[in-house]
Amino acid sequence: MKKLQILMLEDSEEDLMLVLNTLQESELDFDYAHVSNEREYLNRLRDVQPDIILSDYGLSGYNGLAALRDKREMGVPSPFILVTGSLPDDIAVECLKAGADDYILKDRLNRLPDAIRSVMDRQHAEAERRRAFTELIRSQKRLEAAERMAKVGNWEWHLGTGEIIWSDEMYNICGADHKTYRPTVHSFMELILPDEYERSFKVTQDIASGKSTEAETTFQIRSFRGDIKMIRSIYKGNGKMPESGELKVFGTMQDITVLHRTEMELRKLTEELEERVNERTRQLQKANEQLERKNAEMTDSINYAQLIQKALLAKLDECRKLFPKSFVLWKPRDIVSGDFYWQYHNDRYDYIAVVDCTGHGVPGALMSMIGHQMLNHTVIDKGISEPAEILNELDRDVDEALFNNNGASVNDGMDLVLCRIDREQRQICFAGALRPLFLVNKEGLTEHPGSRNPIGNTVVHAATHSFTQKCVRFKEGDTIYLTSDGYYSQFGGPKGKKIMKSRFKRLLQEVGGLPIDEQYRKLNEYLAQWQGDEPQVDDILVIGIQF
């Protein structure tokens, strides 16, 4: 722990030594600088910012109140304690109003060490509060970006008061003016088409009565603008609110009109994730009640993010339906994951991708939802079919959606490998962003590297990236593997080291000719044996497809 840096403003050598002796006897770990007049004091503040300032009040041609005001005008945030021989009550009050943290009389110097510790504890608590508040704002901006991309709105319903709170995206979905429209249960239910009203009303009643704690339903509405929309709604009871004891229900609504039309011909692309809310409480509850409320808001945001991810990603058994001889080895580090896979089929091609987003848990899950929606938009809506161009378009969309709005450089992004499979031509065309494609056949294992650029991540690469693709032929019995780096980043083994890519490639070569279910079993058993009692360090996703 670094030493406390103290600046002492004192014009009496004798009094200076008294203060120093008191601090040294208290076993405070500190260094100090001494100034004795206004000029030295102001010059010192311009050059160095101390951890705390101790100042006499009565100085030759200067005083402690003037020193306190000068410090404030210079923008120096260091705490300030007056250490003086005597101080009238009215002067003491004026100094405290001007921002002094405490004042100590020189005949009671034994109070000084405890006063310093108390002031520094308050300073540390305030710094922690500001840091936590900044993190809350960052998480809220990510959530808003995810909602805009995914067309997902969130809402709260306070059953005791009847109050309903909508996010901005809820107004966009319903075509309502947030300046004039006040949402109510009755006015929203009137938007639901008559054939679906009774079913939707029953779900609402079950949630409101507490008969059900979670529900998911789809229905059609006629928005206030007159257009028909297909809506997916997820509800969740949140128990009793801590302040009022009032029952609260919250959930999400997603405009899936375009996706619904596509799903009439395509397999449903959703993935169910278990919910795990890791309540982020800080040890600042005694210092600031406002932070406690902000932490509660952050927890609600995490709940909403989990529900949004649940509404978007694919079920794990979807890969087996498209590729009968396949496996998905998926192990999130924190239940909600930054690793996900995406697949799509049209009349000519099968597409599959493994994506590794920056971060774990909720931050990674937010990025995974944005990435999944962008892949749908690029391939399905825009009709882009070439893997390299898909990655180029995805890179531009991520940059535009997350980074260029405020001109800041951010280290969020995605690594991925994307394959387009032509079964008639028996050809695989693929492109990668820092992720390779592994192919195992009778000749052995071949690693086809991806481009040395991520998707997004403007901190590492300021310019727009350019991705390339490669096409290879496959034969019956060949196996391809798409993977994040989580498997071979796992620590363990006899010396507590990583598996490493080289060992992972040897393992693929050993199992590549086995039946696909046997490959999955051996990869899973090897990982568990290697990991042992070590904690999982990253999200893990490996997909194997045998032709």
Side-chain angles (χ1 to χ4, degrees), residues 242-254:
E243 294 182 357
S244 64
E246 178 191 351
L247 184 65
K248 181 175 70 172
V249 179
F250 63 91
T252 63
M253 285 192 183
Q254 181 185 18

Side-chain angles (χ1 to χ4, degrees), residues 277-424:
V277 178
N278 194 6
E279 196 172 36
R280 302 180 64 184
T281 56
R282 310 291 179 192
Q283 302 210 346
L284 299 175
Q285 295 176 354
K286 294 181 181 179
N288 198 310
E289 293 181 359
Q290 181 182 6
L291 178 59
E292 198 171 298
R293 293 193 295 271
K294 293 299 181 181
N295 280 340
E297 293 174 10
M298 187 184 301
T299 301
D300 283 346
S301 295
I302 294 172
N303 279 324
Y304 291 140
Q306 193 276 339
L307 293 173
I308 293 170
Q309 188 179 39
K310 182 180 177 182
L312 289 177
L313 302 184
K315 289 185 174 69
L316 290 176
D317 60 358
E318 292 295 320
C319 185
R320 199 82 182 225
K321 293 178 182 178
L322 188 59
F323 304 101
K325 292 183 179 181
S326 66
F327 69 79
V328 177
L329 177 58
W330 183 69
K331 291 180 178 291
R333 194 192 77 168
D334 298 315
I335 305 296
V336 284
S337 174
D339 288 3
F340 72 95
Y341 82 89
W342 172 89
Q343 65 182 46
Y344 170 66
H345 167 76
N346 60 25
D347 293 339
R348 182 175 179 185
Y349 299 121
D350 298 324
Y351 291 86
I352 188 161
V354 163
V355 185
D356 184 352
C357 297
T358 301
H360 314 285
V362 171
L366 288 172
M367 281 300 300
S368 74
M369 290 184 289
I370 293 173
H372 193 278
Q373 194 72 5
M374 285 182 172
L375 279 167
N376 281 339
H377 183 60
T378 301
V379 178
I380 299 174
D381 298 340
K382 294 184 178 179
I384 298 175
S385 61
E386 296 298 325
E389 184 53 34
I390 292 171
L391 266 60
N392 285 328
E393 185 71 13
L394 189 63
D395 186 51
R396 288 189 290 268
D397 287 347
V398 169
D399 183 62
E400 179 180 349
L402 294 182
F403 311 130
N404 286 341
N405 287 338
N406 57 14
S409 293
V410 183
N411 60 359
D412 290 339
M414 294 175 279
D415 304 340
L416 66 87
V417 56
L418 169 70
C419 291
R420 185 191 71 192
I421 300 172
D422 188 334
R423 296 181 189 267
E424 291 185 4

